[in-house]
Amino acid sequence: MVDLRLQVVAAVMGAALATAAAGSGQFEFQEATVDAIQLGFRSGSLTSTALVRFYLDQIARLNPLLRAVIEVNPDALAQAARADAERAASGGRCAAGLHGVPVLLKDNIATLDRLNTTAGSLALLGSVVRRDAGVAARLRRAGAVILGKANPSEWSNFRPVASGWSARGGQTLNPYVLSATPCGSSAGPGVAAAANMAAVTLGSETDGSILCPSSSNSVVGIKPTVGLTSRSGVIPITPRQDTIGPMCRTVSDAVHVLDAIVGYDELDAEATGAASKYIPRGGYTQFLRIDGLRGKRIGVPAVFFQGYDDLHTAAYQKHLNTMRKHGAIVIKDIDIATNFSDLYDQETLLMNAEFKLSLNAYLSDLLRSPVRSLADVIAFNNAHPLEERLKDFGQPDLIAAEATNGIGPKERAAIRRLDEISTDGLEKLMREHRLDAIVAPNSDASSVLAVGGYPGIAVPAGYDREGVPFAICFGGLRGYEPRLIEMAYAFEQATRVRRPPTFKR
């Protein structure tokens, strides 16, 4: 208890010192945006090296409390120095986008360097990948600095662990209210972004794993259309639903990251090839429009807003009124016509089979690994019950997946049913009401978006009486990112809800 108090005091004092430094005319590191960072680079008031040192100091100070970062990159300062040298040699011309900007990656995104890639599991510690994940390679080409890996819920919650817990990283805590859930499975990236432990972060989602921790930690999370970002080199759950996206403090920052990571990858050819047609010429930053709500038709499915208390209900009503005030046409109490019980059953059945196939393929492609199959992972956990907390969490989902035998008649029927649920549910709703988006609290619409491969953007929407954050999510059909970005950015600028974390006990 004493240690926790000291850690909380250190976190609060550190934030105060950073704010004081900003007020003295120095570069304002705390809450720094990508645009501010690049302006600092161009003006000479900031270097990548100084920025990386700041975030490494933040991690050293905050991580004993928050456990958001699983590992820092021993080469981060060298990468920062190289970015500074490139900027100097170019006369500042490369001071744009993510060049020289430190990025934290969820620990299921492979990097061909001295960092581990383990999905939080001790079973993969020491494994060696053949190449960078597709998104990591794109970040490097953009000049970003790989700062380290962020703590996931182990196996991206395919084990039913506590949200934000992994055997390697321990328990990630919510920086706003330490006793509140950080949500998972991209808890570490969400907490790290919220607590200024990195400039920007990258998470992954199968069903809710970007949208939920973004909502719970008051950051912006973009869950892209499946295939818009490559999944090659990312420890998988299911190719039908897995997607990689940014988790950042602002919509603008998230869009800068999205621009850097989208595109075709021959190692994820089918999905990225199909989704490449959605990438707009000129990128996504052009959709950061202050008037982005004007003329948009926004649907409000009643099912997602049921069961909330008066504070949340009033906040969401106020936000819907703000959307109307800024020119949106808000259509309330519409029916998404989805049997959620059926959706969850079919999703689980199919996911079990696809997880085994996908994970075995990933493990077999590693240059070196202590485990080579899902069966090996289960055996490892059985051999290390204390470290992997088998008594607390077990591994029923891993065992259920191991019992599957590929894509058979049941799985093919589940695919057909999930396609019907998407066609007769969200797609029909959007078409009949001519919607640009639906909105829902937090990650409440995540399963609908997940099974159809649809995009969503979570934006901070408020804080409850205890100070726990909540969000609103804009969701749409495949390729709807431009209009979702317009709405999310206009909403963020109209409301300006987000505030830095308080580390409340």
Side-chain angles (χ1 to χ4, degrees):
M1 183 65 72
V2 173
D3 286 346
L4 180 59
R5 285 201 196 98
L6 289 174
Q7 290 168 0
V8 173
V9 169
V12 173
M13 287 182 64
L17 287 171
T19 302
S24 68
Q26 301 174 27
F27 180 82
E28 189 171 345
F29 288 97
Q30 204 78 2
E31 298 286 297
T33 64
V34 170
D35 287 336
I37 287 167
Q38 293 299 349
L39 183 61
F41 289 159
R42 289 193 293 273
S43 70
S45 65
L46 179 67
T47 64
S48 295
T49 300
L51 192 60
V52 167
R53 288 190 187 280
F54 169 76
Y55 289 123
L56 290 176
D57 179 68
Q58 287 283 95
I59 292 167
R61 189 166 48 79
L62 293 174
N63 210 53
L65 173 66
L66 298 178
R67 300 281 182 182
V69 178
I70 205 167
E71 191 173 356
V72 295
N73 189 353
D75 299 320
L77 283 169
Q79 290 180 24
R82 185 164 61 248
D84 289 334
E86 290 171 353
R87 196 179 309 112
S90 72
R93 288 191 300 277
C94 61
L98 296 184
H99 188 272
V101 175
V103 183
L104 271 174
L105 309 181
K106 184 178 178 181
D107 182 44
N108 63 342
I109 300 173
T111 51
L112 185 57
D113 52 21
R114 292 196 282 171
L115 290 165
N116 287 283
T117 305
T118 68
S121 172
L122 294 171
L124 277 175
L125 191 59
S127 62
V128 178
V129 301
R130 292 182 182 273
R131 62 189 73 84
D132 280 335
V135 290
R138 285 186 174 276
L139 287 171
R140 291 197 203 274
R141 288 199 293 272
V145 175
I146 306 300
L147 187 64
K149 299 289 180 74
N151 195 29
S153 304
E154 190 174 306
W155 293 111
S156 295
N157 264 137
F158 208 82
R159 276 189 71 199
V161 301
S163 282
W165 181 88
S166 76
R168 278 196 67 210
Q171 179 62 59
T172 299
L173 299 183
N174 187 308
Y176 288 87
V177 179
L178 300 175
S179 60
T181 179
C183 206
S185 63
S186 303
V191 170
N196 287 270
M197 299 166 81
V200 294
T201 72
L202 210 57
S204 69
E205 173 152 335
T206 304
D207 186 339
S209 293
I210 288 174
L211 298 177
C212 189
S214 296
S215 301
S216 294
N217 297 289
S218 203
V219 296
V220 174
I222 299 181
K223 175 229 186 255
T225 297
V226 168
L228 201 65
T229 55
S230 170
R231 290 85 51 83
S232 72
V234 179
I235 298 173
I237 300 291
T238 165
R240 284 178 56 86
Q241 296 179 200
D242 290 349
T243 186
I244 317 302
M247 302 172 71
C248 306
R249 290 180 290 275
T250 68
V251 174
S252 176
D253 283 355
V255 171
H256 279 299
V257 177
L258 186 67
D259 262 339
I261 63 174
V262 297
Y264 176 76
D265 181 356
E266 63 181 7
L267 297 176
D268 190 12
E270 183 178 355
T272 58
S276 289
K277 64 179 178 287
Y278 298 129
I279 301 173
R281 182 173 297 178
Y284 290 99
T285 56
Q286 64 186 297
F287 301 106
L288 296 171
R289 298 172 56 93
I290 198 74
D291 63 347
L293 284 163
R294 185 176 301 159
K296 297 294 192 301
R297 294 178 61 85
I298 299 173
V300 187
V303 65
F304 295 131
F305 288 86
Q306 295 170 358
Y308 280 92
D309 64 20
D310 292 346
L311 183 150
H312 289 84
T313 300
Y316 287 125
Q317 184 57 56
K318 180 180 177 182
H319 290 325
L320 295 175
N321 290 338
T322 297
M323 293 176 200
R324 289 193 188 94
K325 180 181 175 182
H326 284 79
I329 301 156
V330 177
I331 304 161
K332 294 185 67 177
D333 299 326
I334 55 178
D335 183 9
I336 202 165
T338 297
N339 182 330
F340 287 94
S341 178
D342 187 22
L343 184 159
Y344 301 142
D345 289 345
Q346 304 301 327
E347 181 186 29
T348 300
L349 187 155
L350 185 57
M351 196 181 294
N352 283 340
E354 292 188 325
F355 177 72
K356 179 181 178 180
L357 293 170
S358 302
L359 183 65
N360 285 349
Y362 174 88
L363 295 175
S364 66
D365 189 54
L366 295 173
L367 284 175
R368 292 201 306 272
S369 177
V371 291
R372 287 292 184 180
S373 67
L374 175 56
D376 289 348
V377 173
I378 293 169
F380 178 93
N381 291 340
N382 286 333
H384 300 83
L386 295 180
E387 299 94 326
E388 290 289 348
R389 291 182 63 180
L390 274 191
K391 186 175 180 181
D392 294 324
F393 305 126
Q395 50 181 340
D397 299 334
L398 300 183
I399 293 169
E402 176 58 24
T404 63
N405 292 293
I407 305 300
K410 288 191 300 182
E411 289 77 18
R412 285 191 286 272
I415 291 171
R416 290 193 297 271
R417 182 64 190 122
L418 289 172
D419 288 343
E420 289 171 0
I421 287 171
S422 296
T423 301
D424 298 338
L426 183 62
E427 292 185 17
K428 183 178 179 181
L429 179 77
M430 299 283 287
R431 185 174 61 252
E432 287 184 348
H433 292 278
R434 294 178 291 114
L435 300 179
D436 295 290
I438 60 165
V439 291
N442 302 310
S443 58
D444 290 12
S446 69
S447 294
V448 168
L449 300 178
V451 299
Y454 307 128
I457 304 180
V459 184
Y463 303 85
D464 71 13
R465 292 177 179 87
E466 299 301 317
V468 178
F470 57 91
I472 195 162
C473 176
F474 297 84
L477 301 182
R478 287 183 287 273
Y480 271 34
E481 278 82 358
R483 64 187 81 183
L484 297 183
I485 288 167
E486 287 181 333
M487 288 178 274
Y489 180 73
F491 173 80
E492 174 196 54
Q493 296 303 301
T495 56
R496 295 188 177 272
V497 166
R498 187 182 181 278
R499 58 181 186 240
T502 53
F503 311 100
K504 181 180 177 182
R505 291 180 56 225

